[in-house]
Amino acid sequence: MTEIRHSTVGTRRPTGTLERHGPVGAQSDKEPRVADGQEAEALLREARASVDPELRSAMGSLPDSMRRIALYHFGWQHADGTPAEGNAGKAIRPALVLASAAALGGSGARPAAVRAAAAVELVHNFTLLHDDVMDRDTTRRHRPTAWTVFGDADAILAGDALQALALRLLAADPHPASASAATRLADCVVELCAGQHADTAMERRRPDEVTLEETLAMAEAKTGALLGCACALGGLYAGASDEDVEALDAFGRQAGLAFQLIDDVIGIWGDPGRTGKPAGADLAARKKSLPVVAALTSGTPAAAELAELYGVPYEGDEAELERTALVVERAGGRDWAQAQAADRMARAMQELARAVPDPAAAGGLLSLAEFVTRRST
């Protein structure tokens, strides 16, 4: 339930810029090389061009009130209903659907999976609309969030409508895999909701009551599940075996966890100019992100200091925010998150090799996985 934000991750310089560490997930000589993310960028552009007409058509069927909010959220309208040329997001999940279909079914399987790709993108945006309300996030994609413009109730209802559109797209799809895809996507939505519920419940607990294991499980449900589902749907539309579909799901989940780990690092140390969100917003909200929980459970003196800081609400002191970020780093939270992200990417590559042993056929999926975890511009 996390938006992919591209940024640079590394050690903080005095100027506030970020120096990038090495890429997440080393490539072996047998794996296809990705030149500066160009292949991934091309796949994302193609995915956006393929799914946008489906998305616009689906949203065109909504009542006027819901359509206006949905189109605003996607960046295609201003708040007053006039057309806009906004940012609808990276389209990584639709790209994973289409790349998975092509990897297992050849290029001819890709066009048939467009509706499934659009359905996954609708579900993703349903979660974003709801997350923004629950987290009280005021900006997304460098513009005010829907709830700040239209109110909580309207943003929630628009999200509900997007989820319904997603399932309707699959239900109306004549492709033989559509029924299995709809079931899998619905199961994924339940898992997403369970992950979000676990996340909100964690935020109400004391810092010393949250374990790293349950935080990782929550992150897999919130972020890894939909990336895994996207890959699995592509496999279904390619007519892949159950074993290969499950391997694709596992690949997406592990890549999603790697992404979430890096995203949590960016949530603390990222550049707002790149992320579109305020610096240190996660720390200010006392969010128990993965680096924070790793730091809290490290058993170090800095862990005790962090627990004390997290035990009281943030009151707007920027110096305290800087201190909190430093304490998380001293307790090993940042290093752990980056090492864990590399490990999860290695696991993702193993799962991908199970489903698609031919490196050339797996190239598109590998490029996309590298793109969302490398996090450089």
Side-chain angles (χ1 to χ4, degrees), residues 246-318:
E246 293 307 322
L248 284 173
D249 185 278
F251 159 73
R253 284 174 180 270
Q254 293 299 330
L257 266 177
F259 157 71
Q260 187 60 60
L261 285 151
I262 296 303
D263 194 70
D264 282 355
V265 171
I266 290 172
I268 299 174
W269 295 282
D271 177 359
R274 298 179 186 273
T275 67
K277 293 201 171 188
D282 286 354
L283 296 180
R286 299 305 192 230
K287 189 169 182 62
K288 297 179 184 71
S289 62
L290 286 160
V292 167
V293 175
L296 285 167
T297 57
S298 66
T300 63
E305 185 179 355
L306 180 60
E308 183 179 344
L309 287 166
Y310 253 54
V312 295
Y314 173 63
E315 295 182 351
D317 185 345
E318 291 189 14

Side-chain angles (χ1 to χ4, degrees), residues 89-222:
K90 295 287 185 184
I92 183 66
R93 291 157 187 84
L96 285 171
V97 175
L98 300 176
S100 296
L104 284 168
S107 59
R110 189 181 181 280
V114 168
R115 279 193 182 180
V120 169
E121 184 73 345
L122 287 167
V123 164
H124 173 53
N125 282 276
F126 136 68
T127 69
L128 296 182
L129 280 161
H130 284 202
D131 279 4
D132 286 342
V133 173
M134 288 183 273
D135 296 342
R136 311 314 287 171
D137 284 336
T138 57
T139 59
R140 180 173 295 282
R141 300 167 185 162
H142 303 278
R143 70 198 307 230
T145 47
W147 73 267
T148 66
V149 176
F150 302 100
D152 290 1
D154 283 356
I156 291 169
L157 291 169
D160 293 341
L162 293 187
Q163 182 191 174
L165 289 180
L167 294 175
R168 190 175 73 186
L169 271 182
L170 293 177
D173 191 350
H175 194 282
S178 63
S180 296
T183 299
R184 196 171 195 107
L185 187 59
D187 287 343
C188 180
V189 169
V190 173
E191 187 175 357
L192 290 169
C193 292
Q196 181 66 14
H197 181 268
D199 189 22
T200 55
M202 269 184 219
E203 298 309 312
R204 296 192 293 268
R205 289 156 59 187
R206 295 199 315 269
D208 60 354
E209 293 178 335
V210 176
T211 69
L212 196 51
E213 182 179 1
E214 66 179 324
T215 309
L216 280 165
M218 176 271 294
E220 179 178 347
K222 281 190 60 175

